[in-house]
Structures are given as structure tokens and as C-alpha cells.
Amino acid sequence: MTFSKLLAALASTLLLNPLAQVHGDKEFIMPPYDISTSSQGDVIEITLKSFLASDEESLETRFQCQNGSSDEHYVGTTVSKQQTMNILIRNDAIVVGSIVDEVDGNVYQFSKNESGDLQGTVRHTSDFPDEIDPVEDDVNIPSRHLRDIYSSNERNLQTNCPKHVVHVLVPWTWEAECMESGQNPGCDRTESTARKITDLIELAIAETNFAYETSGVKVNGQPAELKLAHAYYESTITESLGFSGILYQTKGSSVIAAQRTKYGADVVASIVSLSQFCG
């Protein structure tokens, strides 16, 4: 499997107290929850007051979760297997995650706000935009091959690590950071807003690795694995250029190239706020 297809997988991831509309999605505060360890030891149970649209007769919703692809990543389902939870737990608390409900088709996404509550948005699966087809490189194959060889040697990539491990550099835009915190473009960038989007990126890496593992995806005969080389705010990405413009700007940026060299990243995945496409 090619690195471009691996990255495509990365790019693809409430009846509560309604607060507002954020970018067309309903926003809510998640109800209190309890985390307990089961008798098996490696399984945890997360219990919440009923909040899914499909919870018509139940007083609470329970998820049985186990470790996913990292110590902080947990994946689980309800007893019916019709609701799936993907979360990061840090210091015995959920910091970011999502629930997919196959009964009503809703996707619930949530993260900690500055008050420490889990604040979330809900969107129906039919409201997610289509994925855009990959943009082909306009460099001919031989030239691209030589360019990649020289570039790889300069960065010393894939030398001291297994070749099935792909290191990802993730720059994000100011707009994306504000959007993840439920704020308008141009919001004040704080330690809290940066932490929220970093948590989201770490969850995306963990979810992708879990998907690779459960799907048997391999590179060079070994289970594929993504590792976050570095994630940071990048001021040189201009969202007004649109998807294609951002892609070519990212590819041609000497600033991003320097970061890629510094952190030894194999690939770059930029996070923007544009919602025209998924992936």
C-alpha cells in the first residue's frame, strides 16, 4: 500500500443540553460519565446518562472499551454493538473522542472545553461531504523518483526505523484551531486551543493505526503504523486558496520543508477548516 493511500485513511474521523449552532452542527455539553475497570482488568466500562437519539427507553448508555493502538486510546461498543466509541483517556478523564450511532446515523464528536466539560457536536452521516480524489503530481515519474531519493537522503528518513512505520508532520491553520475550539476564525490562540487540536490529531493517529491493525493493512510485509513526528500551528498556509491551492502551497513551502527535515517526517498532512470535502 502506498503512503498516499495510508494518509487518505488518516484524513477520513445529541439529545443533551443544546448550546448553539457551530458551522451548521448542533453543539452540546455531554452528560456526566463514570469510568470503571471490569473484572477482566484490560477492559473498562464507560457509563453515561442516556443521550443518544436512539436511547428512547434506557436511562443510561454503557460502553465496554479496551485499549486500541496506544496507552491512551480506547475503543468500544455498547452491548448491542450498534454504537461505537473512540476516545483518548488522560489522567482518568476523557479528553477527546467520538461516538458513531448506526441506529440513527449520527456522529457525535466531543472534547474538553476550558471548563473541563466534554463539549460536543452532532452531525448525521449523510451531511458529511464526499472525499476528493487525489491530486496527481505533475512531476514525471523518473524526476519524481530522483527527487524523492535525494530528499530522503537529506532528511535521513526510513534509516533508523522500520519501513512499515510512517512518520507524519501535521501543520494546522489558525482557522482550524479556532474551529476545533468552537470559535470563529481569528479567535485568540491559547494553550487551551492548541491542546484541543493536538488532542484531535493524536486521536486521528490512534484511530488510523487501530483501523490498520484490525484491517490487516501492511507495508513491506509488516503491519502499517503511523507515528506523529510533530504537530504545530503553521502561519504560512492560506485557506483562501482553497484545497488545491493549500495542497500546492504545502508542497512548495520552504518553511514546512524545514519542519519536515527537522522532525524527520516522511509525509505531511495539513489540517484546515474547509469543509467542502472529507479527506
Side-chain angles (χ1 to χ4, degrees), residues 22 45 63 84 97 100-101 108 120 123 146 166 176 184 210 230 252:
V22 177
E45 184 173 86
F63 289 86
T84 303
V100 178
D101 191 338
Y108 304 83
R123 178 187 290 192
L146 290 175
V166 183
N184 293 322
F210 186 75
H230 183 56

Side-chain angles (χ1 to χ4, degrees), residues 83-108:
Q83 293 83 23
T84 303
M85 172 182 278
N86 263 287
I87 54 175
L88 289 186
I89 294 179
R90 189 176 300 132
N91 298 324
D92 299 321
I94 299 173
V95 294
V96 64
S98 65
I99 294 173
V100 178
D101 191 338
E102 296 181 9
V103 176
D104 59 26
N106 284 331
V107 177
Y108 304 83

Side-chain angles (χ1 to χ4, degrees), residues 241-257:
L241 296 176
F243 274 96
S244 296
I246 291 171
L247 176 61
Y248 284 102
Q249 187 180 44
T250 300
K251 290 168 60 179
S253 171
S254 60
V255 176
I256 295 176

Side-chain angles (χ1 to χ4, degrees), residues 36-54:
S36 59
T37 303
S38 70
S39 57
Q40 292 94 327
D42 59 344
V43 177
I44 63 171
E45 184 173 86
I46 299 177
T47 305
L48 311 94
K49 290 184 179 179
S50 293
F51 69 97
L52 300 175
S54 58

Side-chain angles (χ1 to χ4, degrees):
M1 177 172 285
T2 63
F3 287 165
S4 61
K5 290 182 179 179
L6 289 171
L7 261 293
L10 168 65
S12 319
T13 183
L14 294 165
L15 298 179
L16 308 179
N17 303 315
L19 295 178
Q21 290 285 125
V22 177
H23 302 281
D25 299 331
K26 291 183 179 179
E27 184 175 288
F28 303 90
I29 295 293
M30 294 276 286
Y33 62 89
D34 177 70
I35 301 177
S36 59
T37 303
S38 70
S39 57
Q40 292 94 327
D42 59 344
V43 177
I44 63 171
E45 184 173 86
I46 299 177
T47 305
L48 311 94
K49 290 184 179 179
S50 293
F51 69 97
L52 300 175
S54 58
D55 289 336
E56 296 179 352
E57 300 180 357
S58 176
L59 296 177
E60 60 184 20
T61 303
R62 294 185 180 184
F63 289 86
Q64 296 286 334
C65 300
Q66 60 185 7
N67 264 131
S69 59
S70 71
D71 291 340
E72 295 182 341
H73 181 224
Y74 285 84
V75 181
T77 66
T78 53
V79 175
S80 68
K81 307 292 186 184
Q82 293 181 310
Q83 293 83 23
T84 303
M85 172 182 278
N86 263 287
I87 54 175
L88 289 186
I89 294 179
R90 189 176 300 132
N91 298 324
D92 299 321
I94 299 173
V95 294
V96 64
S98 65
I99 294 173
V100 178
D101 191 338
E102 296 181 9
V103 176
D104 59 26
N106 284 331
V107 177
Y108 304 83
Q109 298 172 297
F110 43 86
S111 60
K112 265 190 175 182
N113 61 22
E114 293 188 0
S115 299
D117 297 318
L118 284 176
Q119 190 166 323
T121 58
V122 58
R123 178 187 290 192
H124 195 270
T125 52
S126 62
D127 294 330
F128 284 89
D130 295 329
E131 290 190 5
I132 188 173
D133 292 330
V135 177
E136 296 295 331
D137 200 326
D138 55 3
V139 180
N140 63 65
I141 299 280
S143 297
R144 180 170 58 188
H145 178 64
L146 290 175
R147 181 192 64 189
D148 288 346
I149 289 176
Y150 295 141
S151 182
S152 177
N153 288 339
E154 290 172 0
R155 289 193 303 276
N156 196 31
L157 301 182
Q158 301 285 0
T159 300
N160 300 315
C161 67
K163 292 189 176 181
H164 63 281
V165 178
V166 183
H167 291 79
V168 188
L169 177 74
V170 185
W172 71 74
T173 63
W174 190 346
E175 293 90 340
E177 183 172 334
C178 293
M179 182 177 180
E180 178 56 22
S181 290
Q183 301 183 42
N184 293 322
C187 70
D188 291 335
R189 294 184 56 251
T190 64
E191 182 178 343
S192 175
T193 59
R195 181 68 260 178
K196 287 191 64 157
I197 193 167
T198 302
D199 287 339
L200 179 68
I201 292 167
E202 291 176 353
L203 177 63
I205 294 287
E207 287 183 339
T208 304
N209 283 331
F210 186 75
Y212 290 166
E213 179 183 345
T214 55
S215 302
V217 177
K218 294 185 177 181
V219 173
N220 298 319
Q222 297 293 321
E225 180 182 356
L226 294 184
K227 283 194 174 181
L228 182 61
H230 183 56
Y232 71 105
Y233 162 61
E234 177 52 67
S235 62
T236 64
I237 299 177
T238 307
E239 288 205 5
S240 61
L241 296 176
F243 274 96
S244 296
I246 291 171
L247 176 61
Y248 284 102
Q249 187 180 44
T250 300
K251 290 168 60 179
S253 171
S254 60
V255 176
I256 295 176
Q259 292 291 312
R260 186 179 175 190
T261 299
K262 178 179 179 180
Y263 292 99
D266 302 301
V267 291
V268 177
S270 297
I271 305 297
V272 300
S273 69
L274 303 182
S275 58
Q276 182 182 0
F277 301 105
C278 279

